């Protein structure tokens, strides 16, 4: 690191040896010297693998050897992005991020050419946020490409990007994208300040940044929405939110978000609005089921069985007569088995994953009941809960809910329905007080914003959504004009 | 964020409303029937008018110093020393009221759900969520109250179900015993209507101050409608003599409600009603902690909330409160409410008007 200070020397040989002292034990560093026809000599250096070889060969080396004019201070290459520099630190960083550097004899400066072309995945369908009607392009691991994907949706000069760098070693470039005439500048300041405070070696994945930036790290709920869909990122930008693109990570962060945003998907807007509303309500219902159903079952069975009608009590008792465990133990056992199966299914390659599902299905669904370890009804409860928790479109939120189920079950086991209500109170208190970058997380329900309810639990017709949600405190609240189709009313 | 947190007109009125509605509603119909018979509902109307008046007086006081909460105002008007004495009185009132609401709810829950559970454990079920909410700013608490209000709106429709078997003839004749018992019964609504003294603490955070008086009116009206509906349904359903025999006629009423898929609906109802009660104790605990942190000159009240929570757990463990004690405390809380919510605003208004008359120099800066 000590050698990275200082400036570029006029003599070529001096520069080459300086380069070699900076990058010792770096066999992938290529230093190519060239003597052009005019007699002036030059050197191109780059890291093999981080650059696009086509670009080096065709745009740098070829023009060099065939250069006709050789003006003083001009490097004869056909690369778009060229930067002059005299600082070794910049050269070092540039080389490491895939640029190539040209030194010329007799010039005390270097040229950084953007020839970067590292190994890169093709743009594919988003994996965990599949959609039926939405676009089939997901983010990839290159920030420039991700930014371009978003820009394709919003070709507007007000779409601004604030660039930051995080990580002493990783030097991850972080781009905050927003609409300047819509997004709240105070939130931007807050966001830049929080990202600026992060002092780590490197950010490997977006999730790490989220954990450093979020408001309350002890909350089970995700406070920043992570998405791998450019269309969903663009639609949030249009609503006045901020999108944080992290280089080398295939997902971006959206902030500030609300609790209900995790229950929405891009498909909601391309379906008939009544059906989209139905599906959204279904998701909220599934959220309730996933969170509370096992604990309601436990509390009714242990404390408050007088609530259940007598026929149901009898049939439950019948199915439980062989089961030696307390309902709580039974439920925890089943839930944990299910979680293990889910986790195993993720890590295993698809063909084996199916086997896990099959084995789990047969053993748990049938054999465990026949063996008298669990009751039929518990199997139903657990599987309904599991299905409900997978309906939630956002993975992080689904995981949070699956996790919260366990403390709820414990409360139900200890205190019955009162414990459950107490747990629900804690959740409501927590969500009410939670903020995402200082904006209330519970909006539009708490604080109540009637105008924002149009796009929360229901999805009203698009022509109704003439104002942006107030949660992100947008400067321009008007989103669209009167688009109501005349239809057959005219 | 750097901006001063504010809340809306609706949040303000719902905060007032939710602080008033607690466990009082469960036994209110009996208390009224004991004194005024089936004319008790008229007392609620009178009490409403009275409370709105006093609420407006509070707003009038606060209007003089729109950026002060009551402890600030005390310090400004009476200086550090005497001001602190007044704040101490406030702390006592709020602590006592939170305590009596908590104990009352705990006794209900113990009687109805968990007869074998130690009181400390039940108290813990209340205090932990209360701590999680009350340690935040009052604006967040107002949001909580607002949310719970809308979440529990459906409970109002449950009143309609027992009406099928009601006898409206119980209500007649109107004013059988003359007006005197009706006036007397107003007194027993005190515990159920206290709560609007929160105006003293939240007025500075209201975003549109000119709507304070409509807010007080709206909040009290919500309370009025709720009490009126529950009392009338109880009077209509039970016969005038029968009603005084039930301790909590409101809960006995709910036993009638039954669905195909759910027997004992009252159990579920009471458990969920805890949410509504929590919107009373959370702001009370906040108020107590806010005033006591002012008393000690610290700006962070969350430590005081924690202290209150732990102390209430310890005290419950030691005292093991009984129903009789709780009733006694309720009466006392009613008295302290009389002081803070009725006497104090009048005196303050007079004082404030008085010092406005004397030349400006002699007033504290």
């Amino acid at each position: 690191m000590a050698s990275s200070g200082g400036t570029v020397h006029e003599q070529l040989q001096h520069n080459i040896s300086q380069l070699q002292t900076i990058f010792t034990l770096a066999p992938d560093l290529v230093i190519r010297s060239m003597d052009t026809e005019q007699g002036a000599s030059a050197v191109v250096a780059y890291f093999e693998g981080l650059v696009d070889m086509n670009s080096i060969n065709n745009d740098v080396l070829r023009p060099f050897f065939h250069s006709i004019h050789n003006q003083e201070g001009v490097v004869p290459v056909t690369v778009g992005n060229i930067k002059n520099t005299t600082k070794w630190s910049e050269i070092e960083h540039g080389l490491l991020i895939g640029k190539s550097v040209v030194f010329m004899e007799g010039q005390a400066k270097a040229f950084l050419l953007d020839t970067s072309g590292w190994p890169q995945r093709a743009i594919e369908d988003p994996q965990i946020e599949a959609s039926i009607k939405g676009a089939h392009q997901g983010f990839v691991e290159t920030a420039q490409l991700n930014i371009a994907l978003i820009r394709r949706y919003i070709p507007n000069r007000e779409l601004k990007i604030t660039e930051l760098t995080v990580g002493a070693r990783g030097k991850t470039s972080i781009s905050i994208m927003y609409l300047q005439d819509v997004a709240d500048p105070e939130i931007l300041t807050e966001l830049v300040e929080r990202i600026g405070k992060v002092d780590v070696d490197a950010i490997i994945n977006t999730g790490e940044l989220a954990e450093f930036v979020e408001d309350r790290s002890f909350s089970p709920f995700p406070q920043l929405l992570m998405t791998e869909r450019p269309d969903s990122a663009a639609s949030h930008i249009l609503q006045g939110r901020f999108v944080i693109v992290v280089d080398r990570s295939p997902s971006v962060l959206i902030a500030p978000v609300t609790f209900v945003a995790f229950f929405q998907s891009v498909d909601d807007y391309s379906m008939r609005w009544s059906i989209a509303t139905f599906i959204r309500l279904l998701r909220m219902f599934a959220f309730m089921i996933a969170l509370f159903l096992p604990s309601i079952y436990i509390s009714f069975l242990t404390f408050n069985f007088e609530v259940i009608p007598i026929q149901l009590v009898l049939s439950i008792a019948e199915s439980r007569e062989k089961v030696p465990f307390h309902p709580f133990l039974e439920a925890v056992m089943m839930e944990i088995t299910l979680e293990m199966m889910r986790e195993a299914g993720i890590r295993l390659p698809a063909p084996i994953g199916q086997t896990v599902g099959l084995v789990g299905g047969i053993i748990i669904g049938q054999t465990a009941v026949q063996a008298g370890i669990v009751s039929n009804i518990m199997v139903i409860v657990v599987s309904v809960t599991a299905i409900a928790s997978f309906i939630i479109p956002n993975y992080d939120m689904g995981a949070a809910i699956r996790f919260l189920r366990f403390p709820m079950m414990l409360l139900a086991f200890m205190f019955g329905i009162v414990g459950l209500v107490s747990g629900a109170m804690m959740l409501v208190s927590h969500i009410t007080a939670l903020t995402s970058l200082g904006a209330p997380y519970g909006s539009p329900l708490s604080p109540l914003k009637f105008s924002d309810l149009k796009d929360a639990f229901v999805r009203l017709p698009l022509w109704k959504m003439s104002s942006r949600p107030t949660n992100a405190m947008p400067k321009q609240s008007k989103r669209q004009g009167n688009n109501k189709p005349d239809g057959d009313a005219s | 964020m750097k901006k001063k947190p504010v809340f809306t007109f609706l949040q303000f009125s719902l905060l007032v409303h939710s602080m008033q509605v607690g466990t009082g509603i469960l036994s209110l119909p009996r208390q009224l029937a004991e004194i005024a018979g089936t004319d008790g509902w008229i007392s609620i109307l009178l009490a409403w008018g009275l409370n709105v008046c006093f609420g407006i007086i509070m707003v009038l006081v606060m209007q003089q110093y729109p950026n002060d909460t009551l402890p600030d105002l005390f310090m400004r008007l009476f200086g550090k020393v005497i001001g602190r004495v007044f704040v101490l009185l406030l702390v006592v009132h709020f602590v006592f009221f939170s305590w009596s609401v908590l104990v009352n709810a705990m006794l209900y829950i113990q009687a109805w759900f968990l007869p074998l559970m130690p009181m400390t454990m039940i108290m813990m079920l209340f205090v932990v969520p209360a701590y999680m909410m009350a340690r935040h700013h009052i604006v967040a608490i107002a949001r909580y109250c607002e949310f719970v209000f809308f979440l529990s709106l459906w409970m109002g429709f449950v009143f309609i179900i027992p009406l099928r078997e009601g006898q409206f003839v119980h209500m007649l004749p109107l004013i059988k015993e003359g007006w005197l018992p009706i006036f007397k019964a107003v007194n027993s609504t005190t515990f159920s209507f206290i709560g609007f003294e929160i105006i003293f603490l939240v007025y500075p955070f209201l975003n549109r101050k000119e709507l304070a008086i409509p807010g007080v009116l709206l909040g009290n009206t919500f309370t009025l409608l709720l009490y009126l509906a529950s009392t009338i349904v109880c009077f209509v359903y039970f016969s005038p003599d029968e009603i005084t025999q039930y301790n909590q006629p409101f809960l006995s009423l709910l036993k009638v409600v039954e669905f195909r898929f759910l027997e004992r609906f009252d159990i579920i109802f009471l458990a969920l009603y805890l949410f509504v009660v929590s919107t009373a104790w959370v702001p009370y605990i906040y108020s107590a902690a806010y005033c006591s942190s002012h008393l000690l000159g610290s700006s962070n009240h969350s430590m005081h909330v924690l202290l209150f929570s732990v102390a209430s757990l310890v005290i419950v463990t030691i005292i093991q409160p009984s129903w009789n004690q709780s009733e006694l405390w309720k009466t006392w809380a009613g008295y302290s409410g009389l002081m803070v919510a009725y006497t104090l605003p009048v005196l303050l208004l007079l004082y404030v008007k008085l010092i406005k008359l004397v030349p400006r120099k002699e007033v504290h800066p």
Side-chain angles (χ1 to χ4, degrees), chain B residues 8-27:
Chain B
T8 61
F9 162 69
L10 187 66
Q11 283 170 344
F12 172 69
S13 46
L14 288 180
L15 184 67
V16 170
H17 161 71
S18 47
M19 268 185 96
Q20 290 177 324
V21 177
T23 51
I25 187 176
L26 303 177
S27 54

Side-chain angles (χ1 to χ4, degrees), chain A residues 182-224:
Chain A
V182 178
D184 183 23
E186 267 186 51
I187 297 182
L188 178 67
T189 323
E190 175 86 24
L191 188 60
V192 170
E193 194 180 311
R194 285 194 200 179
I195 296 179
K197 274 186 196 156
V198 178
D199 180 16
V200 288
D201 255 5
I203 296 277
I204 302 291
N205 209 335
T206 314
E208 293 175 29
L209 184 72
E211 202 163 320
F212 287 123
V213 170
E214 67 194 359
D215 294 47
R216 295 265 297 277
S217 44
F218 286 103
S219 168
F221 295 112
Q223 294 144 51
L224 302 160

Side-chain angles (χ1 to χ4, degrees), chain B residues 115-160:
Chain B
L116 300 175
M117 190 66 68
M119 284 180 176
T120 321
M121 298 295 266
I122 302 176
M123 199 59 155
M124 201 138 83
L125 287 181
F126 301 164
V127 162
V128 173
Y131 166 72
M132 287 175 67
M133 195 68 247
R135 71 199 179 92
H136 291 284
H137 195 272
I138 185 72
V139 171
I141 297 173
R143 274 185 221 151
Y144 175 77
C145 295
E146 186 187 34
F147 178 72
V148 172
F149 175 80
F150 283 99
L151 196 75
S152 46
L153 264 185
W154 61 272
M155 290 182 169
F157 295 100
V158 177
F159 293 139
I160 302 169

